[in-house]
Amino acid sequence: MDAGTSSRPAVDASHRRALRYLAQRPPLVVALIMLVALLALVITEGLQPTAQRTVNGFVSGSYFALGAVGLTLVYGTLKLVNFAHGDFLTFGAYIAFLFSVSVGLPLIVAAAIAVAATALLGVGTERVMWRPMRERKAGLLQLLLMTIGLAFVLRNSIQFVAGTQPRTLDVDVESSVAFLGLRIGRTELIVVAIGFAVLVGIAMMLRSTSLGKQMRALSDDFDLASVTGIDTDRIVTVTWIFAAGSAGLAGVLYTSAIGTLTPNIGFFLLLSLFAAVILGGIGNAYGALAGGLIIGLAQEWSTLLVDARWKVAVGFIVLILVLIVRPQGLFGRERTV
Amino acid sequence: MSVLAVTFDAFTNVEFWIGVGVLAGAYAIFALGLQLNVGYTGIVNFGQAGFMAIGAYAMGILVVDHGVSFWLALPLATLIAMAAGVLIGLPALRLRSDYFAIVTIAFAEMIRYTAQNARELTGGNQGLLGFDDDWVEFSIEVQDSLASVGLGDQFLLPLLLAVWTTLLVLTVLLRRVTNSPWGRVLRAIREDEDAARALGKNVFAYKLQSLAIAAGVGAISGYFLVLNLAFINPQQFEPLVTFLGYAVLVLGGLASYVGVIIGAVILWTLLEATRFIDLPLSAEKVASLRFIIVGLILILLMAFRPQGILGKKEEMVLGD
Amino acid sequence: MTDTSPTTADPTARAAGDRLLDVRDVVKRFGGINAVDGATLDVVRGSITALIGPNGAGKTTLFNVLTGFYRPESGAVVYDGKSIFRRQPHVIARRGMVRTFQITKALGAMPVIDNMMLAAPHQPGEHLATLLFRPLASRQREKEVRARALELLDVFGLTAKADDYAGTLSGGQRKLLELARALMVEPRFVLLDEPMAGINPTLGARLLDHMARLREEDGVTFLFIEHDMEVVMGHSDRVIVMAQGRVIADGAPDVVRNDPRVIDAYLGDPDRRGAAS
């Protein structure tokens, strides 16, 4: 038993160092957990089913991430929890439907119009609702209830105009691409491609452009940023353009991937989007990206273990767990809670 | 140009208005719990529909699956809902207000989702039936006694009386309790938790009590709503219910229990009265229109009169 | 490590049992900065002690640590023989150690009298079970509490405002209310954060008299942060000086004011150049 007494303290010390290293890097811990989960699933459920679900997870992860980015940008800059965000997704999807199916334009054009229209809607709400309320120093409950009221108005206006019957965008739901024994729908592939391209674009914009830096400054400390000469009104408007625009696009992508469109899809997604945002760290765009992807993967992987109807519950469970264990999420800072 | 025609005899349709009265009363009870949380303690509870669901389903399952007497199941299920309030409050109440709102909505949706998918337990979307036999029996007896005063022909009248009696009793109780030293601590917490702590108050314990009571009250409102339909299903517990509860709350005014009653009556009269306006629109569109109006009311109230009809501007503080 | 070479403190008065509060090497960090960097001090039972120092010295931060509102990184805090290190604020308050805030926390949405009655200790009606099952006990105590509240309001000149919302009070009146409210708790030890700021001199003098009376009659101990040197010199038994998160001097008022280290610390703070002379 005495063999190696001199080496034991060294081993313990390096264990402790490793644990401390991990404790300071939650994203790494989560990545490791996911890797372990993936391996466990491959072993127990088989490589092909797991790989297929992983592909599906990337598809849903792309529109979750895109939807979550907008939600987190608005929260980061304005500290506004926008319960109407889901309905921005619905709005975008319906505009795309209107211009592609009803008017007959190609889907790409209709999607572009949808993004622009939703961005306009976002800026509109900023000018008409949020800016005046900020000037009046409105409290949390006031703003929350206003976003809920807005959600009611948006969703039911769409329902008033378009009715409740499910619509479909004119997308190719038949053909799929096969690779390495896995299938991905052609449309789904396009969804992932567009989704990721836009997400990377937004991430790069935030990181490298002067605009992005100003947005991040405002998000860090609104009052401080405004006294350092940043044109807050302009940056806030731009934030809404990105937030609402990405929401509109996410709505179009979601509808393309899923196939059907009803006035409730946005609200239905909203909680998963909140889960992604909070998992990633509210206010942090990279976090929303990571969070969206993780939620998407987790949901699809769960279908290997439980009935698919429990898929959405995964988002809720993640949300509740994060808020209990680490409320500031993966990339958030301790003081924000 | 369309002409709005309002059918006046419909306005005097007693059966219809009794139904509205039941809904208004039940929602008023629901919002009493919200008032305690939001208006008096400053905790932004968006999970009230979840507690309602727990109470209703617990009651239904106890009666149908375990043969518990309906009258015993009611207090038991209320205790279960209150326990749920404590369970969710323990981790959630130490969070900041906006996170608390999100986690409580998530909790309520989890409950609804579970109710929808745990079909063996809850009947899923088909719902739970048969829990109200004892109530129906009792209701008929009450109807018979009412017949002696000429009011025996309204089937829902006993339920209406039960709802409003309960509502008034709960209102009196809650007012008493809120105007007590205990309630004074809640009101301090509402404005500034640190001030309360500096004076020796265990803020967390008070918030937990407030949430547990609201959960119990929410459960009670749930019983009336499911008795009204004779049927428990997940669609009755959508977030819409909580949002309507908040609409009642802000209409009547924060920090006013009487305001809750007024708000509930106004909201439901508005919602249901639109049935009588002969608009050249389909029923579906009228339904959408109703909710657009509710949304606009919420927005306009919060923008221009956040204290509601009966609320006091000086008491409009939510320390967050 | 701290340098607390005491200046002519009477060693017998500071024997362990007479120390109501014993603070050792407390550290509180924010981001990369130690706002309190190893503070060591003690407060004698029944004394009126002033805590002074230039802006940013860490005085209010230390108050927050002592009363449980901030979680310190390390150190030891012992109150009345028992550790209160990292205890919750309401627990510390219940043990009789009460504080006021630099930016007052008068509860504006409640009437002044309610603010006062809120603070009273041992009100059984504050516990739900007692409230429901023994309502008379609550009502009885409310009467006592109300009477005492009105007495105290009288001392502080706020009787006329008793039924008004505290939000309608002026800044100075709010400070008085906060002080009166703290005293309602029947504390053993009161920590005051700049009690004289914003109060007119006559009323200020009344306050100081009241404090002295409480000390004489009830043995209440006071520790207060102050910038007004006249008050500090004229009304405290002992002065503790903090700078850059540490205690740099500690002793009788006259001695401390002439301590070169103290003068240095204040000269380094441009707003206070005239204060130490």
Side-chain angles (χ1 to χ4, degrees):
Chain A
M1 274 313 161
D2 271 352
T5 17
S6 54
S7 64
R8 236 196 286 139
V11 171
D12 287 340
S14 68
H15 275 170
R16 249 179 289 128
R17 246 182 292 132
L19 280 173
R20 220 179 308 145
Y21 182 84
L22 283 179
Q24 290 172 348
R25 284 167 185 73
L28 192 57
V29 175
V30 171
L32 283 171
I33 292 175
M34 295 201 62
L35 210 62
V36 169
L38 182 62
L39 286 169
L41 283 172
V42 167
I43 294 170
T44 57
E45 307 292 326
L47 180 59
Q48 207 276 354
T50 308
Q52 182 63 61
R53 296 296 192 291
T54 307
V55 168
N56 298 345
F58 272 93
V59 175
S60 48
S62 65
Y63 51 73
F64 279 152
L66 203 54
V69 156
L71 194 56
T72 215
L73 279 176
V74 167
Y75 183 88
T77 325
L78 298 176
K79 303 296 175 279
L80 178 73
V81 180
N82 188 8
F83 273 107
H85 190 81
D87 300 287
F88 281 10
L89 269 87
T90 314
F91 181 77
Y94 270 91
I95 296 285
F97 174 81
L98 177 67
F99 282 95
S100 76
V101 176
S102 306
V103 173
L105 296 171
L107 186 54
I108 289 285
V109 178
I113 298 177
V115 170
T118 319
L120 206 65
L121 176 68
V123 174
T125 63
E126 160 65 16
R127 290 284 161 79
V128 173
M129 292 170 73
W130 311 127
R131 187 175 304 172
M133 292 308 282
R134 269 203 310 280
E135 280 160 18
R136 273 186 254 172
K137 310 262 187 270
L140 170 77
L141 187 64
Q142 269 175 283
L143 292 172
L144 258 180
L145 289 176
M146 282 178 84
T147 66
I148 289 173
L150 179 64
F152 268 57
V153 171
L154 265 179
R155 194 178 332 145
N156 287 285
S157 301
I158 292 173
Q159 196 169 303
F160 187 83
V161 171
T164 53
Q165 71 271 38
R167 314 277 185 170
T168 45
L169 287 176
D170 199 10
V171 285
D172 183 358
V173 291
E174 299 297 302
S175 54
S176 53
V177 174
F179 66 100
L180 304 173
L182 305 168
R183 295 207 94 76
I184 180 171
R186 204 160 156 274
T187 310
E188 290 180 322
L189 191 58
I190 298 176
V191 162
V192 176
I194 296 180
F196 272 93
V198 173
L199 282 167
V200 168
I202 292 181
M204 278 173 39
M205 181 274 295
L206 281 172
R207 188 184 186 80
S208 320
T209 66
S210 138
L211 184 66
K213 288 190 192 128
Q214 290 180 58
M215 282 169 73
R216 279 185 289 137
L218 220 62
S219 179
D220 260 346
D221 191 331
F222 196 92
D223 298 314
L224 186 61
S226 51
V227 301
T228 59
I230 293 180
D231 184 348
T232 49
D233 277 347
R234 192 176 82 97
I235 301 295
V236 167
T237 304
V238 170
T239 305
W240 273 103
I241 292 176
F242 276 103
S246 59
L249 182 62
V252 177
L253 293 180
Y254 173 74
T255 311
S256 306
I258 295 292
T260 51
L261 172 63
T262 63
N264 283 319
I265 54 161
F267 188 71
F268 178 69
L269 276 178
L270 187 62
L271 269 167
S272 301
L273 296 182
F274 269 119
V277 162
I278 286 182
L279 173 60
I282 203 165
N284 188 308
Y286 309 119
L289 234 140
L293 204 56
I294 295 174
I295 298 274
L297 285 169
Q299 280 195 0
E300 291 303 319
W301 287 346
S302 76
T303 63
L304 289 167
L305 303 168
V306 292
D307 193 296
R309 60 196 162 106
W310 290 103
K311 213 160 55 161
V312 185
V314 170
F316 303 158
I317 293 174
V318 168
L319 177 63
I320 294 177
L321 275 176
V322 171
L323 284 174
I324 293 175
V325 171
R326 193 186 156 88
Q328 69 269 36
L330 290 176
F331 295 92
R333 276 155 299 171
E334 192 101 35
R335 67 175 168 85
T336 59
V337 203
Chain B
M1 197 184 84
S2 47
V3 175
L4 297 172
V6 184
T7 46
F8 280 105
D9 15 74
F11 265 127
T12 58
N13 181 343
V14 178
E15 189 182 320
F16 176 79
W17 289 107
I18 292 181
V20 176
V22 170
L23 284 173
Y27 267 87
I29 295 175
F30 182 84
L32 281 181
L34 284 180
Q35 184 69 281
L36 179 67
N37 283 164
V38 181
Y40 286 107
T41 321
I43 58 186
V44 188
N45 170 15
F46 269 91
Q48 191 70 332
F51 297 126
M52 191 160 118
I54 290 177
Y57 272 105
M59 181 270 286
I61 292 169
L62 282 171
V63 172
V64 172
D65 290 343
H66 301 276
V68 177
S69 142
F70 172 79
W71 304 107
L72 184 58
L74 289 177
L76 279 179
T78 310
L79 285 173
I80 293 175
M82 291 175 76
V86 172
L87 271 172
I88 197 78
L90 282 172
L93 279 168
R94 52 191 174 83
L95 296 170
R96 214 168 56 181
S97 292
D98 39 15
Y99 282 25
F100 182 73
I102 295 171
V103 82
T104 48
I105 271 200
F107 150 76
E109 279 291 84
M110 251 320 262
I111 298 291
R112 184 184 68 84
Y113 205 71
T114 309
Q116 206 167 31
N117 290 303
R119 296 192 202 118
E120 312 75 40
L121 184 66
T122 61
N125 276 326
Q126 315 295 71
L128 206 59
L129 295 134
F131 54 88
D132 59 341
D133 296 333
D134 286 344
W135 163 259
V136 173
E137 224 179 275
F138 173 73
S139 179
I140 292 176
E141 281 173 34
V142 174
Q143 249 192 299
D144 289 338
S145 353
L146 286 173
S148 59
V149 286
L151 290 168
D153 59 338
Q154 288 301 339
F155 178 67
L156 275 181
L157 193 53
L159 185 62
L160 179 73
L161 291 171
V163 173
W164 279 83
T165 313
T166 312
L167 172 62
L168 291 170
V169 167
L170 283 174
T171 305
V172 168
L173 275 175
L174 279 170
R175 277 189 92 187
R176 272 277 177 84
V177 139
T178 315
N179 286 329
S180 70
W182 182 83
R184 191 165 52 211
V185 178
L186 286 189
R187 272 177 280 138
I189 292 172
R190 164 183 77 180
E191 181 169 356
D192 192 332
E193 290 182 20
D194 278 343
R197 287 186 186 107
L199 294 172
K201 316 299 176 196
N202 184 347
V203 167
F204 188 73
Y206 281 91
K207 284 164 126 179
L208 213 51
Q209 288 166 22
S210 175
L211 189 62
I213 294 175
V217 171
I220 293 174
S221 75
Y223 307 145
F224 289 119
L225 285 172
V226 301
L227 282 176
N228 192 24
L229 295 178
F231 161 69
I232 307 175
N233 81 333
Q235 276 81 304
Q236 297 170 33
F237 307 108
E238 290 180 346
L240 174 66
V241 175
T242 305
F243 296 157
L244 285 177
Y246 270 90
V248 165
L249 196 65
V250 299
L251 256 177
L254 282 179
S256 166
Y257 289 120
V258 174
V260 164
I261 299 178
I262 293 178
V265 170
I266 292 179
L267 185 72
W268 280 98
T269 309
L270 230 124
L271 282 177
E272 296 298 303
T274 53
R275 291 192 198 279
F276 299 114
I277 301 177
D278 237 346
L279 292 164
L281 296 167
S282 69
E284 190 185 80
K285 285 199 193 273
V286 174
S288 314
L289 203 57
R290 285 197 281 168
F291 286 113
I292 293 177
I293 294 176
V294 173
L296 284 173
I297 289 178
L298 267 176
I299 294 174
L300 292 171
L301 265 177
M302 285 295 96
F304 299 113
R305 200 185 158 85
Q307 70 268 36
I309 296 175
L310 287 186
K312 286 171 248 176
K313 199 140 194 221
E314 303 85 7
E315 296 204 17
M316 278 293 299
V317 279
L318 280 174
D320 53 349
Chain C
M1 287 310 295
T2 19
D3 178 4
T4 52
S5 13
T7 38
T8 62
D10 180 351
T12 54
R14 295 172 66 221
D18 287 343
R19 283 192 233 132
L20 184 60
L21 182 73
D22 217 323
V23 179
R24 293 205 177 277
D25 295 326
V26 167
V27 173
K28 174 61 193 161
R29 183 163 41 242
F30 287 117
I33 307 170
N34 283 2
V36 176
D37 198 10
T40 298
L41 57 95
D42 59 80
V43 177
V44 175
R45 203 179 292 269
S47 68
I48 297 182
T49 309
L51 178 62
I52 67 173
N55 288 319
K59 310 184 290 294
T60 300
T61 309
L62 182 64
F63 259 32
N64 285 334
V65 168
L66 295 178
T67 52
F69 284 93
Y70 283 170
R71 191 171 194 274
E73 265 55 57
S74 62
V77 184
V78 175
Y79 167 67
D80 206 11
K82 290 198 225 118
S83 170
I84 54 168
F85 185 73
R86 287 184 181 167
R87 284 271 180 282
Q88 294 206 311
H90 70 270
V91 172
I92 295 175
R94 282 218 216 127
R95 295 224 194 135
M97 184 164 145
V98 163
R99 57 125 2 132
T100 64
F101 294 85
Q102 196 174 24
I103 303 170
T104 63
K105 286 183 177 288
L107 295 163
M110 283 165 58
V112 168
I113 187 81
D114 276 21
N115 266 270
M116 295 292 286
M117 290 171 72
L118 174 72
H122 315 301
Q123 167 47 289
E126 280 181 4
H127 301 283
L128 204 49
T130 329
L131 180 70
L132 294 172
F133 301 120
R134 292 203 294 137
L136 289 174
S138 165
R139 228 171 292 174
Q140 178 58 28
R141 182 78 180 124
E142 279 287 274
K143 279 194 221 143
E144 292 168 14
V145 164
R146 175 172 271 267
R148 178 139 185 280
L150 288 169
E151 269 175 40
L152 259 179
L153 284 177
D154 194 37
V155 170
F156 288 76
L158 290 171
T159 314
K161 287 265 174 188
D163 293 317
D164 296 340
Y165 280 107
T168 63
L169 261 51
S170 72
Q173 285 173 321
R174 262 183 249 209
K175 258 236 120 100
L176 290 171
L177 174 59
E178 180 144 321
L179 188 48
R181 195 176 64 182
L183 294 176
M184 271 298 286
V185 182
E186 291 173 37
R188 307 266 81 241
F189 184 22
V190 187
L191 290 84
L192 303 166
D193 201 335
E194 298 193 38
M196 297 296 137
I199 296 183
N200 76 62
T202 338
L203 212 31
R206 251 171 99 174
L207 273 179
L208 293 164
D209 282 339
H210 192 75
M211 271 166 64
R213 211 180 331 138
L214 280 171
R215 187 260 290 267
E216 289 309 318
E217 294 172 10
D218 300 317
V220 179
T221 310
F222 289 90
L223 173 67
F224 65 100
I225 296 177
E226 236 335 302
H227 283 296
D228 183 340
M229 286 305 151
E230 280 183 33
V231 170
V232 170
M233 295 304 152
H235 294 268
S236 49
D237 307 331
R238 186 157 144 243
V239 177
I240 300 176
V241 187
M242 273 183 83
Q244 295 181 319
R246 301 197 180 144
V247 174
I248 60 166
D250 177 355
D254 302 307
V255 179
V256 164
R257 91 193 308 173
N258 294 315
D259 186 324
R261 282 171 302 184
V262 174
I263 298 174
D264 244 347
Y266 270 101
L267 284 181
D269 175 21
D271 298 322
R272 289 264 144 248
R273 204 155 288 154
S277 57

